[in-house]
Amino acid sequence: MSASTDRTIPPANAPLGFATNSLDRSSEERTAASLGEALAHADPVFFLQTETGFLCDLSGPAPEPRFARDRAAALADLDHPDMVLLGYDDARVPFVAVPTADDRERPEHIRSVNLRSLASQGVLDPETEGRLAQARHLLLWHGDNHFCARCGGPTVNEASGVRRQCTRCAAVIFPRTNPVSIMLIHDDAGRCILGRQPHFPQHSWSCLAGFVEAAETLESAVIRETREEAGIEVGDVRYLFSQPWPFSNNLMLGFMARAKSHEIRFDSNELEACRWFEREEVRTMLEGTHPDGLIVPPPLAIAHHLIRAFVDGDA
């Protein structure tokens, strides 16, 4: 088996969902005063996350999830202990994420919208989409870690949200990212393997994927998951690009891998279908012209870009 990293960005036909975020996080330079300094800025930007999504102003032509201080203060508690400084944009404007309750009274045009829905609709610019993903990741993590896994003591937000510390045993806890291998398996005959999980939209097919296990390399995860899900042995594992996927707190790591066997024996507990597809058939799925209406995931998902790379001959 060989591995290479000769490609580090997705194809340019469409942006990869949640992958654009140029905020200066300055995580290593933060102190206990950093959040207060950000809030003292003349015009910070606030993202307000509820249990179901992000608050958006729906009075304009597109949902607007960015709020100035005065409007944010009317919609959420700007003293919330889990609020997070995301970072600074090129103009040194701070961006802050704040959790808030779904049931709080708000104007009719202010509603909570699910982040996946916002991204799927394509109504956000890539920078805002990426910053909301960062906000969701961190706020979910803070909400899940109010108590120490070591001693059970209460934890507190530190360094403007980049870590937590236990008030009993002083353990320092950092945000967790769960790595997921997602792979486009192909052969030398110009075919690739796609599968369907039961919860997929009708007629949708996608790449195989699975979580990286403890003490496992990324390449080994690709080999193991492909064997477990499709019964196929692979080699020549090649990394292409990655994608933050905040549903929840995952990092999708995209690979191409060449099949060394060809008989599919898929795991029916994981997949409801799995088969080989010819390159030209996959092209029609990408273009929305398949005679049976088969489709692949939209450009939001890393799977779309892996499949397009295969169709374009990059395998």
Side-chain angles (χ1 to χ4, degrees):
M1 180 193 72
S2 65
S4 61
T5 58
D6 57 345
R7 185 170 188 163
T8 58
I9 59 173
N13 60 292
L16 186 58
F18 311 116
T20 303
N21 183 355
S22 63
L23 289 181
D24 177 5
R25 307 187 188 198
S26 302
S27 299
E28 298 299 321
E29 302 168 9
R30 295 191 189 186
T31 69
S34 295
L35 180 59
E37 292 167 357
L39 294 176
H41 186 277
D43 195 21
V45 175
F46 292 88
F47 295 130
L48 309 177
Q49 180 178 273
T50 72
E51 291 91 338
T52 57
F54 285 92
L55 292 185
C56 292
D57 185 338
L58 303 182
S59 62
E64 176 53 76
R66 295 167 294 192
F67 292 91
R69 187 200 318 272
D70 290 348
R71 297 191 71 201
L75 299 169
D77 176 10
L78 300 191
D79 292 323
H80 196 288
D82 285 351
M83 65 194 305
V84 172
L85 171 60
L86 302 176
Y88 293 82
D89 68 9
D90 291 341
R92 300 308 295 170
V93 172
F95 282 69
V96 179
V98 186
T100 187
D102 262 324
D103 57 2
R104 185 164 173 157
E105 257 190 62
R106 299 185 178 96
E108 180 65 24
H109 64 281
I110 304 294
R111 298 185 185 177
S112 181
V113 184
N114 179 273
L115 178 56
R116 191 193 296 262
S117 174
L118 286 170
S120 298
Q121 294 174 55
V123 293
L124 301 175
D125 64 272
E127 283 282 353
T128 299
E129 189 177 279
R131 293 166 189 181
L132 288 175
Q134 180 192 357
R136 175 181 164 84
H137 186 135
L138 288 172
L139 292 180
L140 284 177
W141 175 79
H142 278 283
D144 288 343
N145 287 273
H146 287 162
F147 295 93
C148 177
R150 179 183 295 175
C151 75
T155 64
V156 292
N157 186 340
E158 277 207 336
S160 311
V162 296
R163 61 179 183 262
R164 298 186 71 85
Q165 185 165 26
C166 178
T167 58
R168 181 184 297 169
C169 72
V172 178
I173 310 157
F174 290 92
R176 173 174 175 168
T177 296
N178 304 311
V180 179
S181 61
I182 180 166
M183 45 276 180
L184 194 290
I185 309 303
H186 63 94
D187 66 7
D188 292 329
R191 304 183 301 168
C192 74
I193 293 175
L194 299 177
R196 271 190 55 80
Q197 293 185 4
H199 68 273
F200 280 10
Q202 187 178 18
H203 303 312
S204 181
W205 292 72
S206 189
C207 303
L208 305 180
F211 285 98
V212 179
E213 295 189 353
E216 183 177 48
T217 68
L218 300 177
E219 294 85 357
S220 295
V222 170
I223 293 169
R224 174 186 54 78
E225 284 288 347
T226 304
R227 182 188 302 124
E228 291 175 356
E229 291 197 354
I232 294 289
E233 298 294 331
V234 300
D236 190 21
V237 177
R238 182 163 67 102
Y239 169 79
L240 268 72
F241 37 78
S242 61
Q243 176 186 31
W245 191 251
F247 305 107
S248 60
N249 301 359
N250 298 331
L251 177 64
M252 309 298 291
L253 300 148
F255 295 87
M256 291 279 192
R258 181 174 286 109
K260 297 197 295 186
S261 63
H262 302 283
E263 182 184 353
I264 292 177
R265 300 183 303 279
F266 70 88
D267 179 1
S268 59
N269 293 318
E270 292 282 339
L271 303 173
E272 68 176 24
C274 183
R275 70 174 178 87
W276 287 101
F277 286 81
E278 300 287 343
R279 180 176 277 112
E280 287 309 308
E281 182 178 12
V282 180
R283 187 185 304 278
T284 65
M285 295 164 72
L286 270 172
E287 295 172 349
T289 59
H290 192 282
D292 296 326
L294 304 188
I295 57 174
V296 298
L300 167 69
I302 191 172
H304 177 98
H305 297 273
L306 290 170
I307 292 167
R308 182 169 293 280
F310 165 75
V311 167
D312 291 344
D314 292 343

